[in-house]
Amino acid sequence: MRIVVDLTRCQGYGQCVFAAPDVFAMPGQEALLYDPDPGDEQREHVLRAQAACPVQAIHVDRLSGHVPGPRPYPYPAPDSGDGFRRSGRIVIVGASLAGVRAAAVLRRDGFAGSLTLIGDEPHQPYDRPPLSKQVLTGRMPLEHTTLPRLVDLDAEWLLGQRATGLDVAGKRVRLADGREVEFDRLLIATGARARPWPNEAEAALDGVCVLRTIEDATLLRRRLASGNGRVLVIGAGFTGSEVASVCRELGRPVTVVDRGPAPLAGALGRVIGGIAAQIQREHGVDLHCDTTVIGLDGDAEGRLRAARLSDGTTLEVETAVVGLGAVRNVDWLEGAGLAAGVWGVGCDAGCRVFDINGLVTDDIFAAGDIARFPHPAYEFQFLTLEHWGNAVAQAEIAAHNMVSDQTRRWAHLALPVFWSSQFGINIKSVGVPTFADEIVIAQGSVAERRFVAVYGYRGRVTAAVTFDQAMWLEFYQRMIERAAPFPPDFAMVGRPAEMLPVPAEVPPRIAVAQGATVVVTGHDPSERRATLVRPPQ
């Protein structure tokens, strides 16, 4: 049997732990750990846990999505009249979480045509969040991360095949082996890859790692289990902080270096980042903020031996984990004429992709980490979200819209929800914390590391972050959706005697062009065209 727990919905009640203690565990206050592939002898216990979950976050033998609100009509939706549901050809490029979920929804919603999934990894689709948590600690074997795929999708799987180009006019996807796959409608779900260390020679040293794929996790797990020297983590975002947490759990000395003022500051702002810094230091992390790694040194055999920091420190290190964010997989779309670049693939709220002129395409869609879409709750600013929950929810929207006519399409309006488990604390957020000018501790105690921080922008609530207080997240989600006034004014459990909003100190919004320039040509409206011009490499 296969289990997936939607940790964006889990609120830490722990009923599953009582029902199936050999499958589910909660070693901290709220952070849930579980075995995604328990033996069949556990099925009765798991089904009992599934029934007992107050928020229905446990899915057995299938990956179920959640789209808020009632269905606007009974589905499957009627065909648009062209018989596409019966005989159309859909190709999904990207066979990870978003692609697999979209495929399942297409079949669920009555699509009976040809379905092809193309993935550059040779493995069966797997779940990535456990790689930086249970897999690195050894609690979960890698083979248990495989995503449920028990529903017969009746699909052609082209795994280990890299897409190298897209012919929009001819409706063909080009593969690295020279083949071309034709489509009537296309879903782009190629996600992102780990950003490598920029110095290629240093990146090639034995001991320099990234963490994104099964191969990455296998290598890093082996190094953490076999060595006892210092681990250097470059970057204190969520992945880097989770790796640091694993290192301390395994008893490994670890140094974290980040160019920002505090861990997680890029995602949650400097106020919460300051609390995260305290937590890391309390757990023995050697933390260097406002610092960069200026060089990695190896020995004559090509093994990593030392790192040089901008503050003048030289560290002896055995392993370096590069956690500098992600690079979106858009290379194969170059020259296709789509609005695709370092920022991702531009699309509307219904997941329909823009072309380079800003016009919506009717037959090309995007979902998951690669999709950049406007969100009405945040002044229609374009968001690109590398979140598990967003990949699932957006894939469902995209799949539905691919087989629906214009009058029956949905908009992707779900608020971003994110979680992280580190240093025994369950951190969850809803909304966009960086879209804020103020923050207030609305409930709980920072000193006890159990609190709710609420973010506001121009007098309305825009986000909330909880530390071991996940049960409150839905309450604040509703406040964000209703544009409730900030600071919140409710008689809430654990409300401090005095609510004092302070500046959120979120990072400034950065232009995403990164050197790309759009040149507009032509005079008559029928002739005007935009061309994306990139600087010479």
Side-chain angles (χ1 to χ4, degrees):
M1 64 188 303
R2 291 285 182 184
I3 300 173
V4 172
V5 179
D6 184 351
L7 292 174
T8 61
R9 294 180 59 76
C10 174
Q11 296 180 2
Y13 288 102
Q15 298 300 314
C16 57
V17 179
F18 292 101
D22 292 333
V23 178
F24 302 94
M26 198 171 285
Q29 295 279 356
E30 286 188 6
L32 180 68
L33 303 177
Y34 67 98
D35 183 354
D37 189 17
D40 286 340
E41 70 278 3
Q42 294 293 331
R43 177 173 288 276
E44 183 178 346
H45 298 285
V46 169
L47 294 178
R48 194 175 299 147
Q50 182 185 37
C53 177
V55 294
Q56 295 298 287
I58 302 173
H59 306 293
V60 180
D61 291 344
R62 67 189 184 95
L63 179 59
S64 177
H66 174 72
V67 178
R71 303 285 186 184
Y73 58 89
Y75 75 93
D79 205 312
S80 58
D82 59 0
F84 177 76
R85 284 177 178 270
R86 297 187 299 274
S87 57
R89 299 169 299 178
I90 289 181
V91 172
I92 299 174
V93 183
S96 191
L97 180 64
V100 171
R101 179 60 190 151
V105 172
L106 285 167
R107 291 306 193 204
R108 184 200 70 185
D109 281 11
F111 177 69
S114 168
L115 182 58
T116 302
L117 287 94
I118 301 170
D120 60 353
E121 294 190 66
H123 320 286
Q124 295 295 315
Y126 58 93
D127 206 15
R128 294 188 192 276
L131 298 183
S132 61
K133 303 174 181 71
Q134 296 102 303
V135 169
L136 289 189
T137 60
R139 288 196 183 98
M140 180 193 297
L142 278 168
E143 57 269 22
H144 283 201
T145 62
T146 303
L147 289 171
R149 205 184 76 187
L150 299 187
V151 177
D152 183 8
L153 293 177
D154 187 23
E156 179 183 15
W157 292 82
L158 301 180
L159 300 179
Q161 294 291 337
R162 184 170 56 89
T164 57
L166 173 63
D167 179 355
V168 173
K171 291 192 171 183
R172 292 188 295 267
V173 175
R174 291 189 291 272
L175 304 182
D177 63 4
R179 281 185 291 172
E180 293 186 340
V181 182
E182 296 182 341
F183 63 86
D184 295 313
R185 291 176 191 166
L186 171 71
L187 176 63
I188 299 172
T190 43
R193 61 187 183 273
R195 187 180 299 279
W197 183 245
N199 185 305
E200 291 186 12
E202 295 176 0
L205 291 172
D206 180 20
V208 178
C209 309
V210 294
L211 182 58
R212 182 81 184 186
T213 67
I214 279 182
E215 289 81 6
D216 298 335
T218 300
L219 174 61
L220 184 54
R221 169 61 188 156
R222 187 184 308 127
R223 297 195 67 88
L224 294 179
S226 61
N228 55 19
R230 179 166 297 277
V231 177
L232 170 66
V233 177
I234 308 173
F238 283 106
T239 298
S241 295
E242 288 175 1
V243 171
S245 174
V246 168
C247 288
R248 294 308 302 137
E249 186 176 344
L250 296 175
R252 296 291 300 270
V254 59
T255 295
V256 175
V257 176
D258 193 88
R259 67 169 62 246
L264 311 182
L268 303 181
R270 189 166 184 168
V271 175
I272 301 302
I275 298 170
Q278 295 172 8
I279 292 171
Q280 291 202 13
R281 290 186 170 115
E282 289 167 0
H283 283 81
V285 174
D286 176 34
L287 179 63
H288 295 247
C289 295
D290 295 312
T291 307
T292 58
V293 175
I294 60 176
L296 300 173
D297 300 328
D299 60 18
E301 285 74 39
R303 292 188 293 263
L304 176 67
R305 289 301 183 222
R308 290 170 282 114
L309 311 186
S310 61
D311 62 6
T313 305
T314 298
L315 299 171
E316 291 186 6
V317 294
E318 186 176 87
T319 301
V321 183
V322 180
L324 297 177
V327 179
R328 292 176 178 86
N329 292 319
V330 297
D331 313 61
W332 68 286
L333 295 172
E334 186 168 352
L338 301 180
V342 293
W343 54 83
V345 177
C347 61
D348 69 4
C351 303
R352 295 180 301 172
V353 169
F354 300 133
D355 69 12
I356 190 61
N357 298 294
L359 297 175
V360 171
T361 59
D362 288 326
D363 298 324
I364 302 178
F365 296 74
D369 295 359
I370 201 167
R372 187 166 184 261
F373 66 100
H375 203 300
Y378 298 97
E379 297 184 346
F380 293 93
Q381 291 198 24
F382 280 78
L383 306 177
T384 310
L385 304 171
E386 297 174 32
H387 301 164
W388 190 96
N390 179 73
V392 172
Q394 193 173 37
E396 175 149 349
I397 296 290
H400 169 84
N401 289 345
M402 291 177 84
V403 293
S404 301
D405 61 31
Q406 181 67 36
T407 62
R408 292 180 170 87
R409 284 176 174 162
W410 297 341
H412 180 48
L413 301 179
L415 291 176
V417 180
F418 181 78
W419 84 91
S420 176
S421 175
Q422 49 187 268
F423 303 101
I425 296 173
N426 187 32
I427 302 173
K428 296 187 74 171
S429 75
V430 62
V432 182
T434 53
F435 190 90
D437 49 25
E438 289 186 298
I439 185 174
V440 67
I441 304 300
Q443 293 177 257
S445 166
V446 171
E448 296 175 5
R449 310 307 189 210
R450 288 177 59 83
F451 63 88
V452 181
V454 180
Y455 296 74
Y457 179 70
R458 295 183 179 177
R460 70 178 178 90
V461 175
T462 55
V465 172
T466 65
F467 277 49
D468 278 345
Q469 293 279 282
M471 66 180 64
W472 291 105
L473 215 62
E474 281 193 28
F475 172 75
Y476 289 101
Q477 178 176 330
R478 291 193 295 271
M479 294 183 70
I480 298 167
E481 291 171 342
R482 297 169 185 169
F486 177 89
D489 187 17
F490 294 92
M492 296 170 289
V493 174
R495 173 177 172 146
E498 190 175 16
M499 269 200 203
L500 298 175
V502 298
E505 296 189 71
V506 297
R509 296 187 180 94
I510 301 173
V512 296
Q514 293 191 8
T517 301
V518 171
V519 174
V520 180
T521 59
H523 176 70
D524 188 88
S526 65
E527 299 173 344
R528 289 179 69 78
R529 297 290 184 270
T531 304
L532 187 66
V533 179
R534 301 180 184 277
Q537 300 296 319

